[in-house]
Amino acid sequence: ETGVTQSPTHLIKTRGQQVTLRCSSQSGHNTVSWYQQALGQGPQFIFQYYREEENGRGNFPPRFSGLQFPNYSSELNVNALELDDSALYLCASSSFSGGAYNEQFFGPGTRLTVL
Amino acid sequence: RKEVEQDPGPFNVPEGATVAFNCTYSNSASQSFFWYRQDCRKEPKLLMSVYSSGNEDGRFTAQLNRASQYISLLIRDSKLSDSATYLCVVNKGRVNTGFQKLVFGTGTRLLVSP
């Protein structure tokens, strides 16, 4: 296990509703990234948080937003849910201390179904 | 065109076989390269990093060809436990800034049978 936890594990919502997904980073990690994985596809980058600020975003509309807290945990919020938002949402944490790549460790994901 | 392209498979091989996966990427500014493994309904896990000089980890060998923008993974002596989806991944982050954007291929499914 990586030490990255996510809640809830499963969620069912209806179109138009709002949802908040939560992620606790691995101990010692200060960066959190969120990914969306649709069935049969690879994960797609939503955004990354570092020092409580969004420091990079993928091709997702503004109704996808996030937060990072002082303890480095994070939330992903999705407003006005659409059927296509049904997917596995993965959180990944890493530590940045200068230099190049620091491995991202993924949580088990939250499976969201929008009806 | 997708940024990272892979053959989705599935690749059905018997135990003990050697199997090779390939992937191509479109952005020549990509910083680093990886293979991840994802078991059914589980999270992706880093299998190995990929370097131009090639690198080996037990039965697994990965190779990067920057000129051709091509990444490969070779699995020798396949085990039943190797059955999984193998994701080709490119990091498009900014070096020394902490920003990392992992771009995943769709994955190649491997099924190893007895």
Side-chain angles (χ1 to χ4, degrees), chain A residues 1-2 10 31 33 35 37 40-45 48 50 55-59 88 90 94-96 98-104 106-109 111, chain B residues 2 6 8 31-34 36 38 40-47 49 85 87 89 91 93-107:
Chain A
E1 300 298 324
T2 63
H10 297 86
T31 302
S33 301
Y35 293 83
Q37 186 173 23
Q41 302 296 316
Q44 285 199 16
F45 176 76
Q48 183 181 53
Y50 173 60
N55 73 336
R57 189 178 185 93
N59 190 25
L88 179 68
L90 294 159
S94 61
S95 62
F96 174 63
Y101 181 76
N102 297 295
E103 181 180 349
Q104 292 190 19
F106 284 83
R111 191 164 297 279
Chain B
K2 290 184 178 178
Q6 295 181 252
Q31 296 292 328
S32 46
F33 309 86
F34 310 92
Y36 273 71
Q38 187 171 29
C40 189
R41 304 186 76 84
K42 297 281 190 181
E43 71 273 21
K45 292 183 179 177
L46 179 64
L47 179 66
S49 302
T85 295
L87 297 157
V89 184
N91 179 17
R94 296 185 293 271
V95 177
N96 297 324
T97 66
F99 175 61
Q100 301 162 14
K101 176 184 175 181
L102 298 185
V103 180
F104 288 78
T106 56

Side-chain angles (χ1 to χ4, degrees), chain B:
Chain B
R1 184 188 170 192
K2 290 184 178 178
E3 289 188 81
V4 179
E5 297 210 55
Q6 295 181 252
D7 180 345
F11 283 52
N12 290 284
V13 302
E15 269 187 295
T18 295
V19 61
F21 304 140
N22 305 312
C23 120
T24 57
Y25 62 96
S26 60
N27 189 329
S28 59
S30 300
Q31 296 292 328
S32 46
F33 309 86
F34 310 92
W35 284 100
Y36 273 71
R37 169 189 169 134
Q38 187 171 29
D39 294 298
C40 189
R41 304 186 76 84
K42 297 281 190 181
E43 71 273 21
K45 292 183 179 177
L46 179 64
L47 179 66
M48 58 198 306
S49 302
V50 190
Y51 307 109
S52 298
S53 54
N55 50 307
E56 187 173 312
D57 183 2
R59 299 181 291 109
F60 298 83
T61 301
Q63 187 75 52
L64 166 67
N65 185 322
R66 281 190 182 269
S68 304
Q69 296 181 196
Y70 174 94
I71 305 164
S72 65
L73 176 68
L74 183 76
I75 304 175
R76 292 180 298 276
D77 189 23
S78 298
K79 311 290 185 191
L80 295 176
S81 57
D82 293 335
S83 296
T85 295
Y86 291 84
L87 297 157
C88 178
V89 184
V90 170
N91 179 17
K92 291 181 61 181
R94 296 185 293 271
V95 177
N96 297 324
T97 66
F99 175 61
Q100 301 162 14
K101 176 184 175 181
L102 298 185
V103 180
F104 288 78
T106 56
T108 299
R109 192 168 172 212
L110 172 65
L111 299 170
V112 182
S113 54

Side-chain angles (χ1 to χ4, degrees), chain A:
Chain A
E1 300 298 324
T2 63
V4 180
T5 60
Q6 292 186 244
S7 63
T9 52
H10 297 86
L11 203 51
I12 298 175
K13 291 285 190 178
T14 55
R15 199 167 45 179
Q17 284 188 310
Q18 178 267 341
V19 69
T20 297
L21 310 182
R22 294 179 175 83
C23 169
S24 290
S25 303
Q26 183 166 311
S27 177
H29 286 184
N30 55 12
T31 302
V32 174
S33 301
W34 285 91
Y35 293 83
Q36 179 196 67
Q37 186 173 23
L39 199 61
Q41 302 296 316
Q44 285 199 16
F45 176 76
I46 303 175
F47 42 54
Q48 183 181 53
Y49 277 81
Y50 173 60
R51 290 183 175 176
E52 302 176 49
E53 290 188 0
E54 184 184 295
N55 73 336
R57 189 178 185 93
N59 190 25
F60 280 80
R63 60 189 184 84
F64 285 78
S65 63
L67 286 172
Q68 186 183 30
F69 300 100
N71 66 354
Y72 305 123
S73 66
S74 177
E75 286 183 355
L76 164 65
N77 299 290
V78 188
N79 293 322
L81 284 167
E82 300 176 0
L83 297 179
D84 285 349
D85 295 334
S86 295
L88 179 68
Y89 288 84
L90 294 159
C91 162
S93 73
S94 61
S95 62
F96 174 63
S97 56
Y101 181 76
N102 297 295
E103 181 180 349
Q104 292 190 19
F105 293 87
F106 284 83
T110 293
R111 191 164 297 279
L112 173 64
T113 301
V114 182
L115 302 176

